[in-house]
Every structure is written in C-alpha cells, then in structure tokens.
Amino acid sequence: MVPVEYHKSKTDNPFYISQYALIKDYGIDKAQLQRLRKNMVVKTVILNRLCSILDCKIEDIMEFVPDEDIK
C-alpha cells in the first residue's frame, strides 16, 4: 500500500471547502472522507472528484510519504 497524507489545515490548503459541503452539496461519500482523514485507502474516483471540485492538482491536497520499511 502506498502511504499518503492529506493536508488537514484550512491554512495549509487554499482550496478549503467544508466536509459538510463536500457531503451535502457535492455528494462525496462520508465514509470516503473518513478514510481520507485516517490516511486509509481511498478510491481514486473520489480523489479525482475532489480535485475537480477544488479545481486543483492531486499534489495540492495529498503528499506521498515513502514507507521506511520498503527499500
């Protein structure tokens, strides 16, 4: 599994939209947002939709963090 971390702070992310708005206004699944918050596996279709909603690139909302155990 590829470890990633998403930018949680409003100040870290100029594309901030509330989770409530993502769920209610844009139909993003609450369970997928929960998985994203916990750095778990998230469907790529959700990541694509988030980037479309926020008009940003994937690297604007996520960061690759290499696993130290893999060489």
Side-chain angles (χ1 to χ4, degrees):
M1 178 168 44
V2 177
V4 293
E5 292 182 1
Y6 84 109
H7 301 283
K8 300 173 187 167
S9 170
K10 293 179 192 180
T11 57
D12 287 349
N13 189 350
F15 309 102
Y16 178 77
I17 252 182
S18 74
Q19 291 180 31
Y20 179 82
L22 289 171
I23 295 164
K24 296 296 180 186
D25 299 336
Y26 296 97
I28 300 292
D29 183 52
K30 186 176 6 177
Q32 288 295 316
L33 289 177
Q34 179 69 12
R35 295 178 71 76
L36 186 61
R37 279 195 303 276
K38 292 186 174 192
N39 291 323
M40 297 172 71
V41 175
V42 178
K43 295 179 181 178
T44 54
V45 70
I46 298 297
L47 299 174
N48 185 46
R49 287 188 61 209
L50 287 172
C51 286
S52 294
I53 292 165
L54 299 171
D55 190 28
C56 67
K57 299 177 196 169
I58 192 71
E59 59 266 22
D60 292 330
I61 61 171
M62 299 186 81
E63 176 183 358
F64 174 71
V65 179
D67 188 346
E68 294 178 8
D69 297 337
I70 299 174
K71 293 187 181 205

